[in-house]
Amino acid sequence: MNDQDAAGREGGPSPTGRPWPVLGQDAYHGLPGRIVRAIDPHTEADPAAMLFTLYAASGAYIGRTPHMYAGAEEHGARIWPLVIGRTAGGVKGTSWAEIRQVMRAAAHDFTHGHVAGGLSSSEGLIYAVRDGGDPDTADDDKGFDPGVSDKRLLVVETEFASVLAQGKRDGNTLLPLIRQAWDGGTLRTMTVHPRVATEPHIVIVGHITPTELRVKLSEAERAGGTMNRFLPVMSKRSKLLPDGGQLEQATVKALGAELAAVMDKAQGIGRMSRSLDAHEHWVQLYTRLASDHAGDGRVAQVVARAAPQVLRLSVMAALLDGCDYIDLPHMKAAEAMWDYVEDSAWYVFSEGSGNTDLDRLKLFVDAAGLDGVTRTQVVAECFGRNRKAAQIDGLWAQLLSLPGYEERQEATGGRPVKWIRRTKPQ
C-alpha cells in the first residue's frame, strides 16, 4: 500500500500535507441532503460521495430539457463525479449501492434499462444511445435498426483507470468522445459506416484510486480538458459498521417517492433563471471562479471549468428542490459542493505548500506575471471577499517570505495602493 492510499484510508493529510476535504453544511440543502442524512447512519459510505452520486444519477433520469445558458453554451442536468478513494477503504462502490436503492424506488425502469458500465470504445458508447436507420445493425427482416428512442444513459464506471488508459493508445477516440458527451452535442464516429447519436443525455460516474488517477491520467488529458469535465470527489470510509447496516425499506420507498416527484416535475422544466439574490451571489462568486484558476499548474488544469460546473450544480440543486428557478440556497449548495471538489483536486494533484489559501494566492499572483496584483484584487477576485483582513495580511506576508516575490506601494494622495508580484517570469 502506498502512502497516498494509506492517507485516504484514514482520511488523513495527503502527501503534500493537505487535510482531508470537508463538505460544508450548505451542500446538504433540501431533499438530496435529507436522503444522504437518512442513509448515513446505516452505511460506511462517504456522505460526500453519496451526495454527488445522487446529483449525477437523478440528473441522468431528468434528461436534457431543463437548462441554463452561459453565453452560447447550454448547461443542464449533467453532473459527472469522479469518486476517488483507495481500494475497498474508499467504499466507492458502496456510495453507488446506497444511492441506487433510492433510485430504484424512484425510477425502477430507468435503473434497469438506462444504467450501464464497461466503457471501452467510442463506438460502444454511441451504440448505447444510437440513432436508428443503420442496416449494419439490423434486428428485423427489413434490415432496419430502430435505434434507441430514449437517449438517457447513466454510466457507472467502477474501473475508471481502464478508461484513462484508453487515452494513451494511438488512435483511440473514446476520451475525445467523452468530452463531446459532456458538452451535450450530437456524437458520431468518423468511419466508413459512421455511428451517430443525436443529442444524447449521458452522465458518467467514475471510481478510481488516487494513485491510479495520478499515474493513468496523462498530461495531455489533464491539460486537454478530459479531467476538468469531471468533479473529483474524495471518498473514505465514514465509520465502522462490523454488522453492516440497512435503511428500512419503508424509508427507502418514502424517499424514493419524494425523489420521483421532483424528478418528474423537473422533466417539464425548460430554460431556467436565477432569483435576484441568487444572481447577486453568482456575480460575486463568478469573479472568484474565473480568476483563481488561471495558470497551467496541475490543479488549475483539473478545475479549469469552475464556472460551468458550479452552474450545473446549481441547476441540479434547484431541480431537486422542486424549483424551476435557482434561488440563493441552491447557489450556496453548489458553491459548497464546488469547494469540496476544489479541495479534492488540491488533495490529489497539488505539489504546493499544504496551505490551500496560500497556494491559491500564489497561483493568482503568478498568473499576473510581472505586472502583479493589488491587495484589492486579491480580496475581491482571488478570495471573493470571503477572507478577513487579518487573513489576507497573513497570506500576503507568507507569500512575500517566499523567494521570487516583492511588494511595492503606489502613492494615490490617500492610502497607498499595495501591489505584490513575481520578480522574475515563470
Side-chain angles (χ1 to χ4, degrees):
M1 181 186 301
N2 59 61
D3 292 341
Q4 188 157 4
D5 281 349
R9 176 186 61 182
E10 303 298 334
S14 73
T16 60
R18 292 190 175 276
W20 189 268
V22 176
L23 185 60
Q25 291 303 306
D26 285 340
Y28 293 95
H29 174 77
L31 177 60
R34 287 196 290 109
I35 290 175
V36 170
R37 283 179 166 142
I39 296 172
D40 183 51
H42 308 280
T43 183
E44 295 184 349
D46 191 305
M50 288 193 290
L51 185 66
F52 279 91
T53 301
L54 175 59
Y55 266 55
S58 55
Y61 174 88
I62 289 169
R64 61 183 298 126
T65 304
H67 64 276
M68 284 196 72
Y69 277 100
E73 295 183 345
E74 183 180 301
H75 296 281
R78 289 190 299 278
I79 305 296
W80 289 18
L82 181 58
V83 181
I84 308 166
R86 82 174 190 94
T87 304
V91 289
K92 303 179 292 295
T94 305
S95 64
W96 162 234
E98 298 292 357
I99 296 305
R100 181 176 55 198
Q101 67 173 333
V102 179
M103 283 295 299
R104 282 176 174 168
H108 182 272
D109 291 346
F110 176 82
T111 57
H112 280 75
H114 297 273
V115 179
L119 278 175
S120 60
S121 69
S122 56
E123 291 82 1
L125 180 57
I126 291 179
Y127 186 82
V129 287
R130 68 193 182 280
D131 293 350
D134 183 354
D136 290 337
T137 59
D139 64 354
D140 59 31
D141 295 336
K142 296 180 180 180
F144 176 75
D145 175 17
V148 178
S149 58
D150 187 342
K151 295 180 181 294
R152 297 174 299 164
L153 178 65
L154 172 62
V155 179
V156 180
E157 187 51 68
T158 58
E159 297 294 337
F160 198 76
S162 65
V163 176
L164 292 179
Q166 302 292 330
K168 296 183 178 181
R169 297 179 181 176
D170 291 340
N172 188 277
T173 58
L174 176 60
L175 294 183
L177 191 82
I178 284 175
R179 294 196 291 270
Q180 294 178 42
W182 186 90
D183 296 340
T186 294
L187 307 179
R188 71 174 66 241
T189 57
M190 298 294 290
T191 57
V192 175
H193 299 290
R195 299 280 190 191
V196 180
T198 303
E199 296 189 340
H201 182 73
I202 297 172
V203 172
I204 300 176
V205 178
H207 294 171
I208 197 168
T209 71
T211 300
E212 287 175 332
L213 181 56
R214 292 171 69 100
V215 172
K216 298 290 187 181
L217 182 65
S218 69
E219 174 64 26
E221 293 304 331
R222 189 172 60 242
T226 298
M227 186 61 207
N228 63 37
R229 285 170 168 81
F230 288 87
L231 300 174
V233 177
M234 294 304 301
S235 175
K236 62 181 174 63
R237 180 178 281 113
S238 61
K239 65 186 73 66
L240 293 174
L241 296 176
D243 297 322
Q246 185 174 9
L247 190 62
E248 292 184 0
Q249 284 304 299
T251 303
V252 172
K253 291 180 179 179
L255 292 172
E258 283 192 75
L259 182 60
V262 297
M263 291 195 302
D264 289 342
K265 178 181 177 180
Q267 289 182 322
I269 296 172
R271 185 170 181 175
M272 302 173 69
S273 60
R274 298 185 187 93
S275 69
L276 180 60
D277 287 344
H279 176 71
E280 291 177 350
H281 191 80
W282 170 250
V283 169
Q284 291 186 359
L285 178 59
Y286 185 82
T287 303
R288 190 199 100 190
L289 296 176
S291 300
D292 66 5
H293 304 303
D296 295 324
R298 295 195 301 180
V299 175
Q301 293 167 349
V302 170
V303 296
R305 295 181 187 271
Q309 293 283 23
V310 172
L311 191 156
R312 292 186 181 201
L313 288 167
S314 69
V315 166
M316 280 305 305
L319 294 175
L320 293 178
D321 207 21
C323 296
D324 58 4
Y325 68 95
I326 297 167
D327 206 354
L328 183 58
H330 310 137
M331 282 305 315
K332 289 186 174 180
E335 182 180 9
M337 294 177 76
W338 177 254
D339 286 344
Y340 191 89
V341 166
E342 189 177 73
D343 288 346
S344 294
W346 281 107
Y347 188 96
V348 175
F349 292 105
S350 172
E351 294 179 347
S353 66
N355 182 329
T356 303
D357 283 348
L358 178 59
D359 290 332
R360 176 180 291 175
L361 175 59
K362 183 178 183 296
L363 187 64
F364 183 70
V365 174
D366 289 351
L370 298 180
D371 292 335
V373 296
T374 66
R375 189 181 188 282
T376 300
Q377 288 176 305
V378 169
V379 171
E381 298 178 20
C382 184
F383 292 106
R385 303 187 187 278
N386 287 327
R387 300 295 185 274
K388 296 180 180 179
Q391 292 175 296
I392 297 295
D393 290 341
L395 293 167
W396 190 281
Q398 288 181 67
L399 187 57
L400 286 174
S401 70
L402 300 178
Y405 295 89
E406 68 177 10
E407 178 187 80
R408 65 181 177 88
Q409 297 193 19
E410 180 181 322
T412 62
R415 178 179 295 179
V417 176
K418 295 175 66 176
W419 291 75
I420 191 169
R421 68 172 191 133
R422 291 189 63 89
T423 58
K424 296 180 180 179
Q426 285 187 289

